[in-house]
Amino acid sequence: MRGFAISRPGTQIQMIDMDVLSVIGNLQVAEVTARHISQVIDKVVDRGAMVKANRVLSVMRTMFTYAQEHGFIQGNPVVMSRKGAGGREKARRRVLSPAEIKTVWRVLDTRQGWMNWQTKCALKMVLITAQRPGECAGMQWEHVDMEKGIWTLPADFVKADRDHLVHLSQHALAILRYAQQRTGDKRHVFSSVRHDSDHVTPEALTRAVAEMLKAGEFGAMKHWTPHDLRRTASTGMANAGIYPHITEKILNHRMKGVLAVYNHGEYLPERRAAMELWGRLLEGWVGNLLEEGGGQAQLPPLLG
């Protein structure tokens, strides 16, 4: 289906491969019925991934709507509503406190066992840059300019019709320098330990945090997810006095109302200053873990 396009293709193609094709991949597109769609969703719901069920439903609706509009099928088999999939989603409000951020950093720095450095650094990159977990996990070297301190997310990779520029603070660059020693000759910054051509997945980040919480490694800390790190960064910058329209640009959110019509500024200098300020705030909260014995001697503070 040439011309078919979706936002954040890496994450959604992964959904198609793991959740859709694994159930109905042996069928021709014209053979798929509403019952088949239900089977796909039921399998996701059965493992308790209610929000994921809604995302899978959405990507299937996009796929089959395209197929119908271009004459590949006569009717759209995706008639299920969100209520029949994962149900209504409550807006999350979880924001980690400075003390919790320090705890997370200390645990990541000192944790032994199966967790690899890619997972640790990708989680930290979400908090440092305020970008989506999937975008950080799939970060590619060709999109990073270390000299200018800029990470360019192409329009095809993000929920937008334009490229998104992310200013890299000194702490983000420290992580990248560390990764460059290990994956600089590969496509992805946080390449998969199993397949060099692939990268650590956002699901791996979510799973790692969930298992650590379940094991009590963060103490009595309330439940949080990798995406909550992005919200924490946004909230932290707002609390530090960064103007809302600057944080919205950093988050790559679309402007709304009058601003969407009349304000097309990118505020690049202000965004760079905001990211450096956020990095200094994190450094102040986390402290020098190296001196306290909580970090790894070969890595700089805030990296671990």
Side-chain angles (χ1 to χ4, degrees):
M1 293 187 291
R2 184 178 299 175
F4 172 63
I6 52 179
S7 63
R8 289 198 289 164
T11 299
Q12 294 176 327
I13 288 175
Q14 202 166 53
M15 286 187 208
I16 295 171
D17 289 339
M18 295 178 60
D19 300 304
V20 180
L21 296 183
S22 63
V23 179
I24 60 174
N26 61 330
L27 299 176
Q28 296 293 318
V29 65
E31 297 174 338
V32 178
T33 66
R35 178 55 188 155
H36 292 127
I37 300 299
S38 178
Q39 289 173 349
V40 171
I41 297 301
D42 288 347
K43 188 172 181 179
V44 180
V45 170
D46 286 346
R47 66 175 190 258
M50 310 307 285
V51 173
K52 181 72 173 293
N54 288 340
R55 301 296 179 270
V56 173
L57 179 66
S58 177
V59 75
M60 285 197 297
R61 179 173 288 113
T62 300
M63 290 169 53
F64 284 98
T65 296
Y66 178 95
Q68 182 181 23
E69 291 176 346
H70 289 78
F72 292 100
I73 56 177
Q74 295 301 311
N76 192 332
V78 186
V79 296
M80 180 182 290
S81 67
R82 178 174 288 192
K83 182 178 180 180
R88 183 178 179 181
E89 299 175 19
K90 295 182 179 179
R92 289 186 57 82
R93 299 181 180 276
R94 181 72 165 97
V95 173
L96 276 66
S97 69
E100 289 178 323
I101 291 173
K102 181 170 183 175
T103 296
V104 169
W105 232 271
R106 184 178 298 281
V107 171
L108 290 177
D109 284 346
T110 59
R111 191 178 201 277
Q112 302 296 322
W114 62 267
M115 182 182 288
N116 53 53
W117 70 265
Q118 291 96 321
T119 299
K120 294 180 181 180
C121 289
L123 284 169
K124 291 182 177 183
M125 190 65 81
V126 175
L127 183 60
I128 291 174
T129 65
Q131 303 309 301
R132 296 180 177 88
E135 294 163 356
C136 291
M139 197 174 189
Q140 297 184 28
W141 284 118
E142 66 175 316
H143 301 152
V144 176
D145 188 325
M146 297 283 281
E147 292 187 4
K148 294 182 179 179
I150 292 290
W151 171 24
T152 302
L153 285 162
D156 290 345
F157 281 62
V158 294
K159 291 181 174 180
D161 53 4
R162 66 195 186 288
D163 292 351
H164 175 51
L165 300 183
V166 180
H167 293 88
L168 300 167
S169 68
Q170 292 305 308
H171 301 101
L173 289 171
I175 288 181
L176 290 173
R177 284 192 290 270
Y178 176 72
Q180 196 171 43
Q181 298 173 10
R182 290 154 177 79
T183 65
D185 60 339
K186 299 179 175 64
R187 179 183 180 186
H188 295 98
V189 175
F190 306 120
S191 61
S192 169
V193 295
R194 296 181 178 179
H195 306 286
D196 286 348
S197 61
D198 206 351
H199 57 82
V200 63
T201 67
E203 287 78 15
L205 305 187
T206 300
R207 184 168 58 252
V209 171
E211 291 183 359
M212 294 170 76
L213 284 165
K214 184 177 180 180
E217 296 184 48
F218 296 120
M221 189 181 299
K222 294 181 180 179
H223 180 80
W224 61 276
T225 69
H227 195 84
D228 292 332
L229 297 177
R230 172 172 156 91
R231 185 181 302 103
T232 296
S234 173
T235 303
M237 283 185 274
N239 290 338
I242 303 299
Y243 290 122
H245 62 280
I246 303 300
T247 56
E248 288 295 283
K249 284 291 186 180
I250 290 172
L251 295 170
N252 199 21
H253 285 168
R254 290 183 180 275
M255 293 291 188
K256 298 180 180 179
V258 175
L259 283 177
V261 178
Y262 294 104
N263 189 341
H264 295 278
E266 291 298 322
Y267 305 103
L268 297 180
E270 292 85 353
R271 286 159 60 181
R272 180 182 293 277
M275 296 306 293
E276 290 295 344
L277 172 60
W278 176 236
R280 292 195 297 272
L281 286 173
L282 287 174
E283 185 69 61
W285 293 337
V286 173
N288 192 337
L289 295 183
L290 297 181
E291 290 184 357
E292 296 173 11
Q296 300 176 17
Q298 75 272 27
L299 302 179
L302 263 184
L303 182 49

